[in-house]
Amino acid sequence: MSDTKSGDDKTLSVTPKKTLTLKRPGLEQGTVRQNFSHGRTKSVVVETKKRKFSLPGDKPEPVAPSVFTPKPAAAAPAPAVQEAPKAPSQPERSGMVLNELSRGEMEARRRALEGSKAREVEDRQRAQEEAKRRAEEEERRKREREESARRQAEEEARLQTEAESRRRAEEEARRRAPQAAELATVDEEEEVKPRRPGGAGAGAPVRRLATPEVARPAKPTKGEEDRRRGKLTLNTALSDEDARGRSLSSMRRRQEKFKRAMHNEPREKVMREVILPETITIQELAQRMSERAVDVVKFFMKQGQILKPGDVIDADTAELVASEFGHTVRRVAESDIEEGLFNIADRPEDLVSRPPVVTIMGHVDHGKTSLLDAIRNANVVSGEAGGITQHIGAYQIEKNGQKITFIDTPGHAAFTAMRARGAQVTDIAVLVVAADDSVMPQTIESINHAKAAGVPIIVAINKIDKRDADPQKVRTELLRHEVFVESMGGEVLDVEVSATKGTNLDKLLEAILLQAEVLDLKANPDRTAEGAVIEAQLDKGRGPVATVLVQTGTLMPGDIIVAGNEWGRVRALVNDRGEHVPEAPPAMPVEVLGLQGTPQAGDRFAVVNNEARAREITEYRQRLAREKAVAKHAGQRGSLEQMMSQLQASGLKEFPLVIKGDVQGSIEAINAALEKLGNDEVRVRIVHSGAGGITETDVSLAETSGAAIIGFNVRANAQARTAAAAAGIEIRYYSIIYNLVDDVKAALSGMLSPERRETFIGNAEILEIFDISKVGKIAGCRVTEGKVERGAGVRLIRDNVVVHEGTLKTLKRFKDEVSEVPGGQECGMAFQNYEDMRVGDVIECFRVEMVSRTL
């Protein structure tokens, strides 16, 4: 049977089952299947309780009051039922008469019956109202379905009309074509089955016709309740019912896609500006063009290339592809990431005066560091090994309330790069020339560096207190190198000074300040800092330490800087006196702590906004350096066969070295000096070089490559010494670059093969040939020049052409074997393994010596 339950607009179908179960009396059980939206159902078991109503003459039952007591939420008569048992007010119940009890019960039952009838009337009225409302809702839905069906029928009719007109146009075009018979067959096939896009005959966009067999009935549109029923709520999420249905947006997109397919409307082409880096994958290119990667792959297949979406193509190929797809292209390079890092223009009103940066240059031992030592009242020379400067030092002094920054550069030939670096970051170059030595090779080199950097020169003629000092000779020799001092009619300032006596130091400082005033040096301190790395080293306690010169802006602790291939957050700033400073204004040299690694001396540094950009820039630079190194080694190395053939052809021998130094500038100078050593036969190969002490890793690298280890102003730790002793690797320590270069040169000289030196002894002319049995041919000769020795090398010369070279088998004077025959005497000679001798041939005798060579 079936029943309809009102209240939730749900249809309940009850199907009783005959099961062998115990039932309570007065109850009937059944299963109800509830139907929900989206085809969901749920089965529940219901029990139907039968009500018993008794007539006034029936015998009352004791349990009647509890059975027929109405529910608390029913209606107003309920309190009467509760009061019925309390009607007798007498405390004693023993005297209660049976008929009075029955009369009270009957009265309660009557009132309950009347309440029940009133509820039935209310339920009936409510059911009628619900049925009426449901009928109105059903009528409304029916009208909506009819309207939707009517619109769909109109749309199908319109589409059919358009398809019919298009089909007629195609048939007309086919009739005009020359291949009438062949196209007629195609027409018959197309009439049988609908045409598909991309198939045969897909020249014109033809839609599949909607035939009556495949036309689906129109679906009824959803009402507000039905539409909201598909939304995800807490109850639906926690229930065991089906998952959430498709969203309205998804259904809308599906309908739009279906309409486009029906109309065969191509999506509007969007032209984009595609940004292309130097390399890009096909997948990334397709995404930037808003195209499918499959279409790009098909394009390459048409060009005869089989590529995958993950393959990398270069910018030229990507530009060609983007142009073919109708997009515009904007090329960018990876180096664009460094844009805006350096050379930021400043407004003229923001510029203020800054101290000059002065570089002390000149030949070795001409007193550059002593002069600077006297100016700043410190003792630097005593701290340098051998009394020569091997590092770049940067200092700042104050004269008459004005600050001057000095940079001291080495004068040794090996430190050319450091001198050039000092000239690049400077404003004024002070050329120190000793009055007793005059102009020397490194003096000329310093002049060239200063001219290449375009900085003015001030000549400081030092050591005028010496007895053999000749300042005029210095001025005269400077003329040969186009340095015209004021006393010789030029514009270059010159000051005669003595570093040891402190003579005329004030005049030198005044000349520097005068030149700085002429230059009118300015910088903007209220901006991010830029500058150059003067020196860099790996300190054992402080980590990577870089001596930098701030050229513009103000450097502060906490700034994030990029220096070459390294970056870091500035942890502390230390000046030349070892004091921590809160900031470094323009033209101030400071030591920077907090870098991630040791930068290269000469690198430029700049402050960036955040760590992400700093990391991005350094990763790009490191990748560039690796690629350059790989390309360099690949070009040098080539294949194994090429390398072996080159070694066999050239006989080149290499001396591998692992070099560790205290600062980056010294390592750079050592590498430059060692690369100049050697020739076509031997050379130095630097396996690894870096700043810092010698570690166990360096020993392992030296053991693998068979290299020696050189430490310049550094020492090996305990683990490295133990590993070197176990592996038998020699570690050499140096503090002066002269000694290092001389020892390496001696080692290379020992690798040179000895030179073959030939010494002429004498000549002999063949007068007669004797053929002796069991002995062979003997040449009777006369020594015409010098002498002939047994065991020496000999050449047989015929018509001034060497026909044989070998050794003598026998040398006889008459019948006796002799060791040598002097000139003018006759002798008999026989060659080793050679008998083609003729009368008139000349025998040349010579001695061969092997002489050791040096570089």
Side-chain angles (χ1 to χ4, degrees):
M1 70 180 196
S2 64
D3 188 13
T4 303
K5 182 180 178 183
S6 63
D8 294 333
D9 192 14
K10 299 179 181 177
T11 303
L12 307 181
S13 59
V14 182
T15 306
K17 293 185 179 180
K18 296 179 181 180
T19 55
L20 297 175
T21 57
L22 294 176
K23 298 182 180 178
R24 288 183 290 176
L27 296 178
E28 291 185 2
Q29 289 186 349
T31 303
V32 176
R33 181 173 297 276
Q34 295 179 338
N35 297 321
F36 300 98
S37 61
H38 300 287
R40 294 177 292 174
T41 62
K42 187 175 182 182
S43 298
V44 296
V45 178
V46 298
E47 293 180 351
T48 306
K49 182 186 294 184
K50 291 185 179 181
R51 291 181 179 177
K52 294 183 180 181
F53 299 99
S54 59
L55 296 176
D58 291 342
K59 189 178 180 180
E61 297 179 2
V63 295
S66 63
V67 173
F68 289 99
T69 301
K71 297 179 181 178
V81 180
Q82 300 292 336
E83 294 173 1
K86 298 179 183 179
S89 59
Q90 291 83 2
E92 296 181 359
R93 300 175 61 98
S94 59
M96 185 177 293
V97 184
L98 181 59
N99 55 2
E100 291 178 0
L101 180 62
S102 300
R103 193 180 300 116
E105 280 186 11
M106 291 301 295
E107 185 66 22
R109 291 181 184 180
R110 185 181 61 79
R111 284 196 297 268
L113 184 59
E114 289 175 357
S116 176
K117 288 180 179 180
R119 283 195 303 274
E120 286 181 0
V121 172
E122 291 177 1
D123 291 345
R124 195 178 297 110
Q125 289 176 355
R126 193 181 297 111
Q128 289 174 358
E129 292 175 359
E130 184 66 26
K132 184 179 179 181
R133 188 186 63 79
R134 192 175 299 146
E136 291 175 356
E137 182 71 19
E138 188 66 29
E139 185 66 23
R140 185 179 61 80
R141 293 181 183 176
K142 183 178 180 181
R143 286 197 302 270
E144 289 178 356
R145 286 197 297 269
E146 290 175 354
E147 181 67 20
S148 176
R150 185 181 61 78
R151 285 199 298 269
Q152 187 170 357
E154 290 177 357
E155 182 69 16
E156 290 179 355
R158 186 178 64 80
L159 295 178
Q160 193 167 0
T161 304
E162 290 179 359
E164 187 67 23
S165 61
R166 193 177 288 108
R167 188 175 61 81
R168 290 199 194 97
E170 289 179 358
E171 290 177 355
E172 184 67 22
R174 292 194 195 95
R175 279 197 295 271
R176 293 177 182 176
Q179 298 87 357
E182 183 179 353
L183 293 179
T185 306
V186 175
D187 291 343
E188 293 175 1
E189 293 178 356
E190 291 184 352
E191 288 176 0
V192 174
K193 57 181 180 180
R195 301 175 59 184
R196 299 180 179 178
V206 180
R207 291 189 305 275
R208 182 176 298 184
L209 299 181
T211 59
E213 290 76 14
V214 298
R216 293 182 290 179
K219 292 184 179 180
T221 58
K222 291 184 178 180
E224 184 64 25
E225 292 184 5
D226 296 332
R227 185 177 292 112
R228 294 184 63 83
R229 191 175 297 165
K231 295 194 175 182
L232 185 65
T233 62
L234 187 61
N235 293 332
T236 55
L238 296 177
S239 65
D240 295 335
E241 298 171 3
D242 295 340
R244 183 185 181 188
R246 299 185 63 165
S247 65
L248 294 176
S249 300
S250 175
M251 297 296 292
R252 193 175 296 114
R253 287 194 299 269
R254 185 177 180 183
Q255 289 174 0
E256 291 176 357
K257 184 178 179 182
F258 178 72
K259 286 180 181 178
R260 282 198 302 270
M262 290 294 293
H263 290 278
N264 202 6
E265 297 174 356
R267 184 173 291 182
E268 184 180 356
K269 182 81 171 179
V270 180
M271 300 304 174
R272 299 182 179 274
E273 184 185 34
V274 182
I275 299 175
L276 295 181
E278 295 176 357
T279 58
I280 190 173
T281 62
I282 294 178
Q283 182 73 40
E284 179 67 20
L285 176 63
Q287 290 177 359
R288 296 189 181 189
M289 295 191 302
S290 295
E291 305 283 353
R292 297 192 309 161
V294 177
D295 296 336
V296 182
V297 171
K298 285 181 180 178
F299 172 78
F300 280 108
M301 291 177 67
K302 290 179 182 178
Q303 307 300 323
Q305 300 182 36
I306 307 299
L307 296 176
K308 301 186 295 296
D311 290 342
V312 179
I313 57 177
D314 58 1
D316 294 334
T317 308
E319 184 176 0
L320 176 64
V321 173
S323 302
E324 287 291 331
F325 278 86
H327 302 284
T328 58
V329 172
R330 181 160 65 92
R331 297 277 289 270
V332 296
E334 275 190 298
S335 57
D336 292 345
I337 193 175
E338 297 184 352
E339 287 186 359
L341 191 63
F342 297 109
N343 303 325
I344 301 174
D346 293 315
R347 295 182 300 176
E349 57 268 20
D350 295 335
L351 301 177
V352 296
S353 298
R354 65 170 177 84
V357 179
V358 181
T359 300
I360 307 292
M361 307 175 77
H363 191 73
V364 63
D365 288 338
H366 274 204
K368 299 180 298 298
T369 307
S370 300
L371 181 63
L372 183 59
D373 182 16
I375 291 174
R376 63 191 295 261
N377 298 322
N379 192 359
V380 181
V381 174
S382 59
E384 294 284 357
I388 63 167
T389 301
Q390 305 183 87
H391 309 137
I392 268 193
Y395 316 97
Q396 195 169 53
I397 67 159
E398 191 168 341
K399 170 69 175 175
N400 298 332
Q402 294 179 279
K403 292 183 178 180
I404 304 174
T405 300
F406 283 97
I407 297 177
D408 185 18
T409 63
H412 187 259
F415 296 92
T416 303
M418 297 176 74
R419 263 195 310 282
R421 190 160 59 248
Q424 288 168 3
V425 299
T426 191
D427 302 316
I428 302 169
V430 173
L431 182 66
V432 178
V433 187
D436 54 347
D437 281 347
S438 190
V439 177
M440 301 294 282
Q442 268 67 61
T443 310
I444 301 169
E445 195 175 292
S446 300
I447 294 171
N448 295 333
H449 287 319
K451 287 184 177 180
V455 296
I457 299 175
I458 297 176
V459 178
I461 304 175
N462 195 18
K463 301 184 181 180
I464 60 170
D465 56 322
K466 284 198 171 185
R467 185 175 301 174
D468 53 349
D470 189 359
Q472 194 59 34
K473 179 184 177 185
V474 173
R475 297 186 179 96
T476 306
E477 290 195 6
L478 286 174
L479 293 176
R480 297 166 53 190
H481 304 288
E482 299 181 357
V483 177
F484 306 105
V485 297
E486 282 186 335
S487 58
M488 306 291 287
E491 297 180 353
V492 177
L493 299 175
D494 66 305
V495 183
E496 297 181 5
V497 296
S498 171
T500 55
K501 303 291 185 182
T503 309
N504 292 337
L505 296 182
D506 291 339
K507 287 185 178 180
L508 178 62
L509 295 178
E510 288 173 1
I512 292 172
L513 291 175
L514 178 62
Q515 187 68 55
E517 188 177 347
V518 172
L519 294 175
D520 190 21
L521 304 170
K522 290 185 177 182
N524 179 14
D526 301 325
R527 51 157 289 183
T528 56
E530 290 181 22
V533 178
I534 301 297
E535 191 54 85
Q537 61 182 337
L538 185 64
D539 193 279
K540 185 175 181 179
R542 300 185 296 171
V545 178
T547 302
V548 302
L549 177 68
V550 181
Q551 294 174 311
T552 183
T554 302
L555 185 63
M556 300 182 181
D559 288 344
I560 300 171
I561 66 170
V562 174
N565 296 344
E566 304 295 338
W567 72 277
R569 187 182 293 273
V570 178
R571 197 168 68 241
L573 298 174
V574 183
N575 62 10
D576 56 316
R577 300 178 188 87
E579 303 167 348
H580 285 256
V581 293
E583 61 180 22
M588 180 176 181
V590 288
E591 285 186 342
V592 174
L593 280 67
L595 290 172
Q596 301 286 332
T598 307
Q600 297 291 324
D603 289 338
R604 296 183 67 187
F605 81 87
V607 175
V608 295
N609 297 330
N610 49 46
E611 292 184 7
R613 180 151 192 249
R615 194 176 291 108
E616 200 173 3
I617 293 173
T618 53
E619 285 176 357
Y620 161 71
R621 291 179 174 178
Q622 289 169 1
R623 184 169 65 253
L624 208 64
R626 283 196 303 269
E627 290 173 357
K628 191 179 294 184
V630 168
K632 179 181 178 182
H633 291 311
Q636 291 177 350
R637 185 164 55 242
S639 64
L640 183 62
E641 292 81 2
Q642 292 173 352
M643 185 174 68
M644 295 303 294
S645 62
Q646 288 174 2
L647 286 175
Q648 290 176 359
S650 62
L652 184 65
K653 298 177 183 178
E654 290 185 337
F655 184 35
L657 289 175
V658 173
I659 300 173
K660 297 301 288 287
D662 54 346
V663 295
Q664 198 70 38
S666 300
I667 295 166
E668 182 183 294
I670 292 169
N671 292 348
L674 295 183
E675 284 176 359
K676 294 179 182 178
L677 299 178
N679 52 21
D680 295 338
E681 191 174 343
V682 295
R683 71 173 183 185
V684 173
R685 179 168 66 91
I686 299 173
V687 178
H688 171 69
S689 63
I694 300 170
T695 62
E696 196 173 358
T697 306
D698 299 324
V699 176
S700 301
L701 181 61
E703 183 180 2
T704 305
S705 56
I709 300 176
I710 290 179
F712 187 78
N713 285 336
V714 294
R715 290 294 181 271
N717 56 28
Q719 294 86 352
R721 289 195 298 270
T722 305
I729 295 173
E730 183 183 10
I731 300 177
R732 288 285 190 96
Y733 300 110
Y734 296 93
S735 58
I736 300 176
I737 195 169
Y738 301 119
N739 302 337
L740 188 153
V741 174
D742 291 343
D743 286 358
V744 173
K745 185 184 292 185
L748 287 176
S749 300
M751 295 173 63
L752 289 172
S753 57
E755 184 180 359
R756 184 174 182 272
R757 187 173 297 174
E758 191 176 288
T759 304
F760 174 76
I761 300 177
N763 281 341
E765 182 181 359
I766 298 177
L767 304 177
E768 191 66 40
I769 301 297
F770 303 99
D771 194 355
I772 301 173
S773 60
K774 296 183 181 181
V775 176
K777 290 185 177 180
I778 301 292
C781 309
R782 179 187 295 116
V783 178
T784 57
E785 184 179 356
K787 63 180 179 178
V788 178
E789 293 180 355
R790 186 173 60 185
V794 290
R795 293 189 185 95
L796 182 64
I797 301 173
R798 183 179 301 155
D799 298 330
N800 296 324
V801 176
V802 177
V803 296
H804 175 69
E805 182 173 343
T807 57
L808 287 178
K809 181 172 65 174
T810 178
L811 177 62
K812 289 189 176 183
R813 170 84 174 140
F814 298 108
K815 292 184 180 182
D816 300 328
E817 286 281 347
V818 293
S819 59
E820 65 177 36
V821 177
Q825 295 185 2
E826 294 182 353
C827 62
M829 296 186 191
F831 289 95
Q832 190 80 30
N833 300 325
Y834 188 78
E835 292 187 350
D836 186 17
M837 299 170 290
R838 300 178 186 176
V839 176
D841 291 348
V842 175
I843 298 175
E844 180 184 279
C845 187
F846 59 91
R847 186 184 302 115
V848 176
E849 296 175 343
M850 304 304 290
V851 181
S852 60
R853 299 160 55 200
T854 58
L855 284 174

